[in-house]
């Protein structure tokens, strides 16, 4: 029996029993989530505003904790000449199967689409309920 048929059968049985059916919804793209798991690695996107232009640089293979929630703080090390900083998570957003960890100092998602934003990109990540 397919997974859809199993879910429909369970929903029908619950409805017939008189209890309301509540479907578990997957978070929408761009939606903020509270807790995710990672594979222990992320890409750090560091952006700078130089009066007339913006530049961003990405640093790969940045070690991150296996579980991350909004409000967490952890140390990250990045670059070929290693730099270390504290990353304080303001929000965790889903986008195309990956998680965008927005730091406390950013205004995202209030910033416009054309303005670059610092973030940790975790690909893949899994949302925990």
């Amino acid at each position: 029996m397919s997974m859809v048929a199993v879910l429909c059968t369970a929903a029908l049985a619950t409805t017939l029993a008189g209890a309301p059916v509540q479907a578990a919804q997957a978070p929408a793209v761009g939606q903020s989530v509270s807790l995710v798991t990672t594979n222990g690695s992320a890409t750090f996107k560091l952006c700078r505003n130089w009066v007339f232009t913006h530049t961003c640089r990405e640093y790969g293979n940045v070690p991150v904790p296996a579980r991350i929630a909004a409000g967490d703080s952890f140390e990250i090390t990045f670059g070929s000449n290693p730099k270390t900083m504290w990353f304080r998570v303001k929000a965790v957003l889903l986008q195309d199967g990956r998680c965008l960890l927005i730091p406390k100092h950013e205004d995202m998602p209030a910033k416009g689409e054309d303005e670059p934003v610092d973030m940790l990109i975790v690909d893949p990540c899994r949302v925990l309920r």
Side-chain angles (χ1 to χ4, degrees):
M1 186 181 286
S2 74
M3 184 61 132
V4 173
V6 170
L7 291 175
C8 288
T9 304
L12 179 60
T14 304
T15 302
L16 293 176
V21 176
Q22 292 182 348
Q25 295 180 353
V29 172
Q31 180 179 350
S32 181
V33 296
S34 57
L35 181 64
V36 296
T37 61
T38 73
N39 63 0
S41 182
T43 300
F44 181 47
K45 180 178 173 187
L46 183 63
C47 298
R48 294 292 168 250
N49 182 351
W50 304 102
V51 182
F52 296 108
T53 187
H54 298 284
T55 61
C56 292
R57 181 157 184 199
E58 291 188 1
Y59 301 90
N61 300 318
V62 176
V64 295
R67 293 173 66 132
I68 301 173
D72 285 355
S73 293
F74 50 90
E75 200 170 64
I76 61 171
T77 302
F78 59 96
S80 57
N81 180 16
K83 295 161 245 357
T84 302
M85 67 179 271
W86 277 95
F87 192 91
R88 291 171 182 83
V89 181
K90 174 182 179 179
V92 181
L93 303 176
L94 290 180
Q95 182 184 59
D96 301 326
R98 60 189 187 161
C99 291
L100 309 178
L101 307 177
I102 310 303
K104 288 275 189 192
H105 69 269
E106 289 293 355
D107 294 332
M108 191 174 174
K111 283 190 174 186
E113 290 291 321
D114 58 335
E115 289 191 46
V117 175
D118 294 349
M119 68 179 71
L120 276 171
I121 303 164
V122 180
D123 189 14
C125 74
R126 192 174 69 119
V127 177
L128 295 179
R129 305 228 185 257

